[in-house]
Amino acid sequence: MDSDDMDVDEMDTPSPSGSLSALLSELAALHGRSSSSTADSASPPLSLPSLTFLSSAAIPASFFPRLAAAGLPASSVLAPLTSSFSAHPLPAATAYLRLLLAPASPIVSLFSPLPFLSFLLALRKAASSTADAHNPSTGSGNAKPRKRKNQRQPAAPRSPSFLPEALSLLASAAGRLPLGSHPDARRSLIDTAAELTAFDVLAAVLGSNYQAEAVQDVVRALAPVAISGTKSSARAAAVEFLVTKVVPLGAVGGEEANRKVVRYLPRYLAMKAPEKSDARGLAVEAIVEVVRAMEPREREDFAAYMVSMARGKAKGRLFAVDMVLAILPVLLQSEADEFGLEEGSWGLKCVQVLVERCSDMVGGVRARALTNAAHALDILSERGVEVDRLQEVMMIGNMGLGELLRRRCIDDKAAVRKAALVLITKAIGLIGRPVDESLLSAMGAACSDPLVSIRKAALAAISEVFRKFPDERVTKEWLQAVPSLVTDSESSIQEECENFFLELVLNRVCRAANSHLDDDSVNLEDVFPEGTLDLLKSICDGEVAPCIKRICASLGKKKKLKPLLASSLQNIVTISESLWSRSSKPIEEWTAPTGAWWLLAEVSSFAPKSVNWKFLSHHWKLLDNVGQEGRGKAYSKGEPKSALWAVDRVSLLQTISNVSMELPVEPAAELAHSLLTRIEDFDMHLSEVDAHVKSLKTLCKRKAKTTKEGEALVLKWAQQLILKAVNILDGYIKGTSEASRGFSFHTPLTGKLNGRAEASILKSAAQAVVVVFTVGSLILACPDTSVQHIIPLLHTIITSGNSEPRPKNLAGGAVSFKELAPSLYIQSWDTMAKICLVDDKLAKRYIPLFVQELERSDMATLRNNIMIAMADFYVRYTALVDCYMSKITKSLRDPCEVVRRQTFILLSKLLQRDYVKWRGVLFLRFLPSLVDESEKIRHLADFLFGSILKAKAPLLAYNSFIEAIFVLNNCTGHGGYSESQGSDKGPTLFAIRGTDERSRSKRMHIYVSLLKQMAPEHLLATSAKLCAEILAAVCDGLLSVDDAAGRAVLQDALQVLACKEMRIHPNICTDNSEMDDEGGDGGSASALLAAKGRAVTQVAKKNLIQIAVPIFIELKRLLESKNSPLTGCLMECLRALLKDYKNEIDEILVADKQLQKELLYDMQKFEAVKGKSSRDAEAGPSGSSPTAQGNVPDGTAPCDVAAKATVRSVLKEMNRKTPTPPLHSMSVPKVKSMLGPGAMSGSRRPAVLESVRRLEPFESDDEN
């Protein structure tokens, strides 16, 4: 503290006259000192007591007269006060303002631009010091004192702040100052007031006589505050100030300069709006408030500006689609009034701009436009716009909204797809018409999108369509897309899927509970709510039934299945039967509505008390009696009704099993006896056997007194049935064997006897099939059952017809059941597989036999069944089956599409469950599935490689890429890749050999699919491996190009290096740009990705110069020496690689000047041909260019002539001015080698290639 401060502390409060005298004395002393000093020396500052006196109270009216009486000019106060701004900013600033506001103050003498600027600087400094005092954490980085436990920190004393008083005084003085002739001082005042949020000061400025000059500065100063990216009171106050103080200045009748500033105010704010999503939204809100306060004509001017901005640069388009939506309610007149959407109105133009931007070239703009279009539909519907008018507004040319949404649903940007699905949800409810089939398919495909958010949006969109329009095709697409999501990895999607199924399917079926049969009812569809029967028929489809079973089970566990659902299904079956009986039709021909029994079987276990036993007993007797009557017909005629009745009996049996605990004892025992009798007859449809066995087992266990008693009872009748099955099967085998041996000694039967014999044989064979199938069901239902007698019989059947010698006394040894009874042969393999699943010793003996049959069987059905069995064996006996994986995977190339698809699905499931690992040849053998002839298999393969594999093994594509090239071409010439292909026929089976266009396109499709799974750094490492392990191998002689396989490998490598998927750009890591994301927010993560992309690009260039180009130079010389046709492919690859480095070719190809000149010529020639073709396309068939018809020969473009002249001079220079042959005599440029005639002889290799050999390889190979 200085002496002045101590004087103030020690003295008592002085009287005003005394303080004024001291002040005058000090001013006189300072004035005398300044008069005697030089002009350059600064005046000393006022003392703190004097400043305190001047700033603490109003200055007396006698101050300036007494100052004049003392012989001091008014300006004598200004110099010491200006010097005090740096020492004591706030008191000096307050004192300066009080002097300006004092009575009879000579403002002209006291005001000067430089002191005024110093005053504003002092005011800012004081405000900054006050803010730091209130927020000590924002000060310098001084460490906070350590706080001890139970020690209270004393509160820091706050000095009284003079800032609010100073700002109030400034507001009073701003209108009096002569700032009209001092623009710099005026701008500084406005900037200071805006920075300190002193809106009273700005209001005083706008109310002064220099208002016209200040309006523009006020707008410029407040714009950053009004559109700042954070919500704050200052931002809200700035927006309010613009609306209430600035916009009224542009009213009609005001000054033209002010009106012009107000008219351009929202445009200026739009130009200064930030790019980030949240900040942009706040800026839009601020601009809307300003536009709402403007006149209608000015609003339309701003709307026109937004429409033009929406067709400008990408940044402006992104802001314009947000701004257009925000000002749309302002442009529309009022509710229930369509005047704002008439032709030529700006409301209509804004909506059309939104629809146009839905097809923008930038993904972020497309996504934002789609989202805003959905909100625009809400706004228009709230104002009562009719549906027909909405359909007209949402069209782009001849393309309707449905086609636009279909294209956006399959967009390559995730944010666009999600926004399109949201728009579909809105548009369906507002436009009120069903979407076309292509859009339905696009929504169904979106339900399988890799991104969770898009699957959720697609689920909501297609469910909204199904809710509004439950017709047949919508129902079909919904059932194919939605129920499968119950197996989704995201639990929230599973829950939404279950809720939608409960609402849109099960609750609709529940409406049938109140339906009744009227006297005049004729059609069953008229009795129940519309679409109920079609819905039941659709849900039991074979593809969606497993998913619906899982949904029902999950809903039942959560107790969401209502008892009313079971009552509705019973009512549907009962009314159907009654209506059939009323029409006097035979009951044998009646079937319940498709899906009714099936759904009742699924829900009955969760609502057993809602199922009536009399209802079940009646229909069981009906179905069972009809089934027994039609058994003979089923064998002979194969009537379809018998199959439908069999399906219904299976569902009815399952329902009975579910409610068995509610059954009375006597009916349950009677039913169990009936089931056992039916099984013992061995004459059921195969689809019924499992249901009968499971139902009988359930009844026995649930009605037994103890668990042990129930298991003993099950084992008893299972053993009884197997013994009977052994007798029947043994008799059939013996009879067939005897008939085969004695066939030549019997007189052939004719007529009725022959027909009866054939019928008896067919019946015996059919019964044997049922016997074998029943044994398999019994084994799975009761694994403890003894099967020692049935195994030899099954072995006889599955080994019949083999060429191996067998004992003569073995029954059936000479009979080939594969030819005689194929169904029995197939079922015997299936039953043997079921026995092996419960007997590990038997599995060790028979698994090799299964693998052998899988390889050599010519029956597609048997191969398919064995493949399913092998998948079960893999789960049960992983170690036993793993050694046969190379043989199992051969089924991926099976001639039958069903077998290939089944194999692909089963192996994929095993891979996902980690029973099978991606090692060895497994990955390479999955690759041909990407180009399979079946579209379904290709879709499965794309999903496996694009979604599952990318997440589970992201480095697999990179690690196996080079090997895949050799395997697909069946090339064993390279020593490093010949061992992995082995000596069996597998490599040949999985190779796609050939140099024809079809084979090459298939291989390139596989390569591109793998490249899409790689990160940029892996693409870079892959290009290095291609150069080092294929191109350099050709140069070293490790890979020969004399055979077809070697040439195909080299050609594939060159095409991969030249393809666009291999090219690395700086923005490859950031997904093209920040605006391609949903909100345009990149943040630090996007900056990091951008830096990573630039680093990868630099390394790619270094790799090209140091590794690729030297190898290419050596390879070109080798191919030219062999006159190989691959030289053109190599030059095309080089042209593609160096296309992005046109200005750096001299640096890159410094080792081969001749190659440099040839590439320059090739590039110029390529661009010339490309330009000529584009000109021809623009000119049309009859169009011609006048410049091409002068002195240029026919068929030659001017750029071709220039290219020929350039290359002629280049060749002369390179060949030391020796003449070159004319260009028309050369197919490709033939130049003399720079290495001399013996450069390629012997084992000599250029030194540049030796340097490449010494380069360290990329370390990315060890990442996995």
Side-chain angles (χ1 to χ4, degrees), residues 464-584:
E464 183 66 23
V465 176
F466 186 38
R467 183 183 291 111
K468 298 289 183 181
F469 311 104
D471 54 18
E472 182 180 356
R473 59 194 184 92
V474 175
T475 301
K476 180 181 178 182
E477 187 64 39
W478 188 88
L479 288 173
Q480 288 180 351
V482 174
S484 59
L485 292 177
V486 74
T487 60
D488 196 275
S489 58
E490 180 66 26
S491 58
S492 60
I493 294 182
Q494 296 180 18
E495 186 174 355
E496 288 186 19
C497 172
E498 295 171 1
N499 293 335
F500 278 125
F501 188 83
L502 178 63
E503 174 195 354
L504 301 177
V505 177
L506 299 183
N507 288 349
R508 288 184 180 180
V509 176
C510 289
R511 300 173 190 169
N514 299 325
S515 301
H516 58 277
L517 191 62
D518 298 330
D519 296 336
D520 56 347
S521 298
V522 178
N523 296 323
L524 194 61
E525 291 80 4
D526 300 335
V527 178
F528 303 108
E530 183 180 0
T532 302
L533 299 182
D534 293 335
L535 197 57
L536 286 174
K537 182 179 180 181
S538 301
I539 62 176
C540 62
D541 183 77
E543 293 184 1
V544 301
C547 298
I548 294 179
K549 286 184 177 181
R550 186 165 180 173
I551 293 175
C552 293
S554 179
L555 291 174
K557 292 176 182 178
K558 297 176 182 178
K559 297 182 180 181
K560 291 185 178 181
L561 292 180
K562 304 176 183 178
L564 184 62
L565 180 59
S567 302
S568 301
L569 294 170
Q570 294 176 79
N571 192 32
I572 291 173
V573 175
T574 303
I575 292 177
S576 173
E577 182 188 358
S578 302
L579 187 61
W580 186 273
S581 301
R582 179 190 292 182
S583 61
S584 302

Side-chain angles (χ1 to χ4, degrees), residues 763-777:
K763 185 175 181 180
S764 299
Q767 187 181 31
V769 172
V770 177
V771 164
V772 173
F773 188 87
T774 305
V775 170
S777 299

Side-chain angles (χ1 to χ4, degrees), residues 16 52-61 63 98-99 101-103 165 169:
T52 304
F53 167 73
L54 288 175
S55 61
S56 59
I59 297 177
F63 174 74
R98 289 195 180 277
L99 284 174
L101 295 173
E165 182 182 3
L169 294 173

Side-chain angles (χ1 to χ4, degrees), residues 1171-1184:
K1172 184 176 183 297
S1173 61
S1174 62
R1175 288 194 304 272
D1176 292 344
E1178 293 176 359
S1182 59
S1184 59

